[in-house]
Amino acid sequence: MNDDELIASARAAALKAYAPYSRFHVGCAILSADGEVVTGANMENACYRLGICAEQSALTAAQHAFGLDKVARIAVAGGVVAGELTGEQPVTPCGGCRQAILEAAQLGGGDIAILCASGDGHEVEEHTIFSLIPHGFGPANLAGAS
Ligand code: THU
């Protein structure tokens, strides 16, 4: 799957978000090293702080489908649904999601590319997890423990 298709998958996943409180729909698509793709979307809760981000939703699917160590490339897109997903500002993963993606990167032993797309899909920024969370704390830091 190429980058345009991965972004299209993230945008399609955003349409399945459960976001009645923020009305901000986020979708995430994850490509494995072997070419498999899983998706996820944010899932909010009446107890607001229990909401789950799209990236964490997709990472859970990735864990079950092929394992976190196989995560190779991630696309995220978010915005408001008005017939289709709209929005001109690229969505970058929140701090908590960066930490979760870092876990996958360190498990896999390499960096992970993250395509951050606007809701309308027209604006795309490419980052890597090591650039989005420099000097991060991950499983590698615990290697000598216990
Ligand atoms: N959200 C995500 O799903 N991923 C992010 O990286 C940023 C924020 C969700 C959480 C909440 O449901 C909504 O977007 C508004 O913050």
Side-chain angles (χ1 to χ4, degrees), residues 51-144:
I52 295 168
C53 286
E55 296 90 327
Q56 303 240 25
S57 167
L59 282 167
T60 300
Q63 177 194 343
H64 286 265
F66 44 76
L68 292 177
D69 59 321
K70 292 275 189 356
V71 171
R73 223 164 163 73
I74 296 177
V76 183
V80 171
V81 174
E84 59 179 352
L85 191 69
T86 67
E88 298 170 5
Q89 176 89 2
V91 171
T92 52
C94 76
C97 290
R98 293 178 195 200
Q99 181 70 29
I101 296 166
L102 180 71
E103 186 86 11
Q106 289 197 357
L107 282 180
D111 211 348
I112 293 174
I114 307 173
L115 302 161
C116 304
S118 57
D120 62 14
H122 294 154
E123 300 294 326
V124 180
E125 292 175 1
E126 181 167 345
H127 298 288
T128 72
I129 192 56
F130 291 161
S131 71
L132 288 180
I133 186 164
H135 313 294
F137 181 91
N141 295 94
L142 297 175

